[in-house]
Amino acid sequence: MTRTIKVLLAEDQSMVREALAALLGLEDDIEVIAQAARGDEVLTTARAHPDLDVALLDIEMPGATGIDAAARLHAEFPALKLVILTTFGRPGYLRSAMEAGADAFLVKDAPAAQLAQAIRKVLAGERVIDPTLAAAALADGANPLTEREREVLRAAADGATNAELAEGLRLSQGTVRNYLSTAIQKLAARNRGEAVRIAREKGWL
C-alpha cells in the first residue's frame, strides 16, 4: 500500500488555496491535512499536525512571508520538507528561500502534476528548483546589500524622512544617510525610491 504524503498548504488567497488543495487531493498518494491563510499562522498550524511531511508555502502572505515561515519551520521541524511557491520570479527570493532551508522553489502557475511530482521528489531527498529561476539567480549573483542596508531600505520604502528612520531604527541620521547612500550606489540607483524598487524586483529586500 502506498504511503500517503501529508501536506500543509499556506496561501493567503482562499480560492487559490482551495483549488490547489483540491488538485493535490486528486493524487492517490497526497493529502492536504492542514491549511493556513497567513504566514504567522504557519508554525502554530504545523505544531498542531506533528505527522506532516511537506509544507507548501506561498511567498507573499500577510503576517510573515513564506520565506520567514520556512525558516521558522526549518528551525523547529528540521525533517519537514519545505516547498516555496511564488508568483514572482525574482532571483533573490530563490537564494533567500534556500538559505531558509527550502527544499524546492517553484512558480505557482506550474501544472498541478509538476507540483505533485516535486512533493514526491523532496520527500525522496531531492532538491527541486524552477530552471528559469535558477538561471536568473546565477546571472544576478549574490545580494550585494548587507543586512543593515536592507533594514534601512525596507524602512525607507514608506517614504519616511532620515530623521524618522533614525528614530525608528535607533541610529544617528548620519548613519542612516550612509547606509542609504551605500545601498543606492551598490544598486546603481538614482535615489532611494529607485533603490527600493530595484531591490524588490531582485527579491533582495
Side-chain angles (χ1 to χ4, degrees):
M1 183 176 176
T2 305
R3 175 176 175 274
T4 300
I5 302 169
K6 295 179 171 60
V7 174
L8 160 67
L9 175 57
E11 157 68 57
D12 64 315
Q13 296 182 49
S14 58
M15 287 183 66
V16 175
R17 188 174 67 251
E18 289 164 10
L20 271 174
L23 287 169
L24 289 173
L26 296 175
E27 302 290 329
D28 293 337
D29 58 341
I30 297 175
E31 181 184 3
V32 176
I33 65 166
Q35 298 185 31
R38 294 175 54 89
D40 53 5
E41 294 173 352
V42 170
L43 189 57
T44 304
T45 305
R47 286 170 177 162
H49 297 83
D51 55 343
L52 282 169
D53 299 302
V54 178
L56 298 181
L57 308 168
D58 182 34
I59 281 189
E60 297 287 332
M61 289 187 287
T65 69
I67 292 174
D68 290 336
R72 293 167 190 167
L73 286 174
H74 186 63
E76 190 162 328
F77 304 101
L80 183 64
K81 299 299 182 180
L82 306 172
V83 178
I84 300 289
L85 299 175
T86 180
T87 307
F88 310 99
R90 296 172 182 168
Y93 279 164
L94 171 57
R95 192 176 298 273
S96 298
M98 295 300 108
E99 290 172 355
D103 300 283
F105 193 91
L106 301 168
V107 288
K108 205 185 294 183
D109 58 2
Q114 186 177 326
L115 177 56
Q117 194 58 30
I119 290 171
R120 297 182 187 106
K121 284 182 176 180
V122 297
L123 205 59
E126 296 181 45
R127 177 163 280 183
V128 184
I129 299 172
D130 180 273
T132 304
L133 286 176
L138 286 172
D140 264 5
N143 186 344
L145 302 173
T146 66
E147 181 54 45
R148 263 304 199 187
E149 288 162 0
R150 290 199 295 271
E151 183 182 17
V152 174
L153 265 189
R154 277 194 292 265
D158 294 328
T161 65
N162 283 356
E164 291 167 337
L165 291 173
E167 183 179 352
L169 297 171
R170 296 184 177 180
L171 299 169
S172 71
Q173 289 191 48
T175 301
V176 166
R177 277 195 300 271
N178 288 339
Y179 280 131
L180 285 173
S181 176
T182 304
I184 288 167
Q185 288 175 8
K186 285 181 177 180
L187 298 172
R190 290 169 293 186
N191 51 52
R192 69 168 71 180
E194 187 174 51
V196 169
R197 179 183 61 77
I198 292 170
R200 279 180 169 167
E201 286 176 356
K202 298 288 189 183
W204 287 341
L205 279 191

